[in-house]
Amino acid sequence: MAAAQDYDDGAVHSQPVDGYDPNYVPDSAKSFVVHLYRHIREKNVYEIHQMYETSFQTLSDRLFKDTPWPSVDAVAPHVDNDHVFCLLYREMWFRHLYARLSPTLKQRVDSWDNYCSLFQVVLHGVVNMQLPNQWLWDMVDEFVYQFQSFCQYRAKMKNKHEQEIALLQQYDQAWNVYGVLNFLQALVEKSMIIQILEQEKEGLEQFTATDGYDYNGGSNVLKVLGYFSMVGLLRVHCLLGDYQTGLKCLLPIDISQQGVYTSVIGSYIATIYHYGFANLMLRRYVEAIREFNKILSYIYKNKQYHQKSSQYEQILKKNEQMYALLAVSLSLCPQVNLVDETVNSQLREKYGEKMLRMQRYDDEAFTLYDELFSYACPKFITPSAPSYVEPFVNYNQDAYRLQLKLFLYEVKQQQLLSGVRTFLKVYSTISLGKLAAYMEVDEPTLRTILMTYKHKTHAIDSEGKIISNADIDFYIDDDMIRVVESKPAKRYGDYFLRQIVKLEGVMNEMDRIKLD
C-alpha cells in the first residue's frame, strides 16, 4: 500500500498573533475598503476585479502576511456600515485566514455563519451589484473547501481536549453536509440557471456570450453563483464518493463547449478534474481521457499567463495530479490516440516508465496504481458527526481508504483479463479452443473471461446508453472469435503546429546572431 494521504490542515489551535490589533486599520487598508466599496456601488466590475485580484493580494503580502486583516467592526464605519459589503469583507477575511494561518474551531463556525448570512441575502434579499466571475467562483470554491477542511478537522478526535469536544457538540449544525448541499442546490434553483442555459440553446438568452454579466443594469451575482454552484455540487458529491449524482448535477453545463466555467481558470480546472475523476471511477475511461487531455493541453499552452496569480501553485499541483490520473486511465484503457502529442510527450516524460510497469499486471503494477491514485485523488470526507464516546479515534482517512479499496478492487479485476487483450491485438480470427490452449484454461472458463472482458470494456453514460471503452472489439461466430480493431483517423494538425513552433524558434535564434 502506498502511504496514505496527508489530510492535515495544520495546527488546530492558533493563538492570537503577537502584536495584532483587530481594531487597527492601516491607511492603505482603509483606502482599499473605501475604494472597493465605492466601485461595488458603482458596479465598476473592471476596477473591482483589479482590486480583488491584485490590490488585496499585494496588501496581504505587505501588511498581513502572518496576521488576519482588520476586523469587520473596525472597517464598517468607513463603508457606511453597509451590511452586504461587511458580509463580503468577512468572506475575504476568513479566506485570507485559512490561506495564511490556522483557524480555530470558533473561527470555522463564524465563517459558516457568515456564509449562511451572505447566501441568505443573495437568495432572499435584493442584491443590486455586479461582481467579477473570479470572486463569485472563489466564494463557491472556498465554501466547499472550508466544508471539506471542517470535516477533516472534526474527524481527528484522538488529541482533542474537552473544551473542543464540547464546542463541537454545541455547534453540531455548523458545516452540516445537508446545510452545504441545500445552500448550493438553493442557489441553483433560485437563480433559474438551468432554465437560462436551456433557453440559451434556443437563442433566447445570452448568458455565455456575456460571461454571465448583466449589461442592462441588473445583477449577475445570483445567476453566476447558481452556475458555479453546479460545479460545487459535483465537487461535494465527489468528496462523498457519489460520482453518479455529481455528474448529474453538472449535466446542464455542456463541457464540450466553452462556457462561463472556462472564463475562470480555477473553475475550469476544478470542473474537469472532478468530472474526469468521476468518470474514471465509473469506468468511463474514454470520457476521462478525452477531458484530461483537453485541460492538460490548455494548461500547457496558457500557464505562463498565470505566473503572477495567487492560484499559480494550485494550478501546477492540479496539473500534476491530472497527469497521474491520465496515466491511470490510459493504463486501464490504452487509447493513446485520444491524447494530443504535446500532452503525450509530457506524460511519457513524467510517467512513461511507470505506465510500462503498470501494463504488466503484477504486484508491482498494483502498487503503482495505489501510489498514483493516492497522490491524485480528491481528499475524501466522512460527513457524519463523530462518536463522542471515549476512547476517541481518528477517522479522517476512512473515506479515502474505502475509495482506494474500491478502485484497487476494480484494478484487480482488470488484472485477471490481462492476457485477453494481448491475444486479441495479435489475431484477427482465432478459434475458442486455440485461445483457451494459449491461456491455459478450458473453453467454458474462456467464454466467461470473454464475457467479463466485454463487461469491463463497456460502461453506461449519463444518458443511460451503453458506451465502449475498448480500442478493439470482437464477436463469437460459432467457435471462432472474430476481432474488429478500430482504426483512429490520423491527425496531422499537432505535427504541423509543433514544426511551426520549432521553425519560429530557429528563426528567432538566427535573428539574435550578429554577423560580422
Side-chain angles (χ1 to χ4, degrees), residues 179-226:
V180 171
L181 290 170
N182 285 342
F183 269 124
L184 293 172
Q185 189 61 42
L187 287 167
V188 172
E189 292 176 4
K190 187 70 184 285
S191 66
M192 299 188 70
I193 189 62
I194 296 174
Q195 293 88 332
I196 289 170
L197 293 175
E198 283 296 322
Q199 289 175 345
E200 188 173 49
K201 291 175 185 175
E202 300 168 12
L204 302 175
E205 281 281 352
Q206 293 288 310
F207 181 78
T208 302
T210 61
D211 275 341
Y213 293 109
D214 190 318
Y215 294 106
N216 297 316
S219 171
N220 70 326
V221 173
L222 179 57
K223 284 190 295 186
V224 177
L225 276 177

Side-chain angles (χ1 to χ4, degrees), residues 61 91 98 112 115 121-122 154 181 188 235 279 305 333 344 355 360 381 388 414 425 442-443:
D61 290 336
E91 194 272 334
Y98 270 79
W112 163 254
Y115 272 117
V121 167
V122 172
R154 184 178 57 185
L181 290 170
V188 172
R235 184 174 163 191
N279 277 294
Y305 304 121
C333 174
N344 191 38
M355 288 176 71
R360 291 206 298 259
I381 55 174
Y388 294 110
Q414 298 271 2
K425 290 286 283 184
D442 56 33
E443 285 194 30

Side-chain angles (χ1 to χ4, degrees), residues 393-433:
V393 294
N394 291 345
Y395 65 98
N396 56 303
Q397 294 202 31
D398 287 2
Y400 153 70
R401 291 194 188 102
L402 175 61
Q403 295 303 316
L404 176 65
K405 181 181 176 182
L406 292 171
F407 171 74
L408 293 179
Y409 179 69
E410 182 63 40
V411 170
K412 203 73 174 177
Q413 290 182 315
Q414 298 271 2
Q415 286 182 324
L416 298 174
L417 307 172
S418 58
V420 177
R421 186 176 178 278
T422 306
F423 286 113
L424 294 180
K425 290 286 283 184
V426 174
Y427 291 93
S428 56
T429 57
I430 184 173
S431 68
L432 280 169

Side-chain angles (χ1 to χ4, degrees), residues 353-390:
E353 186 185 336
K354 287 184 177 180
M355 288 176 71
L356 285 173
R357 284 186 279 160
M358 287 160 79
Q359 288 297 322
R360 291 206 298 259
Y361 295 106
D362 53 19
D363 287 342
E364 184 187 9
F366 196 66
T367 304
L368 287 171
Y369 278 111
D370 182 338
E371 176 192 323
L372 292 185
F373 180 88
S374 299
Y375 167 69
C377 70
K379 290 187 176 182
F380 300 108
I381 55 174
T382 302
S384 57
S387 168
Y388 294 110
V389 180
E390 294 193 50

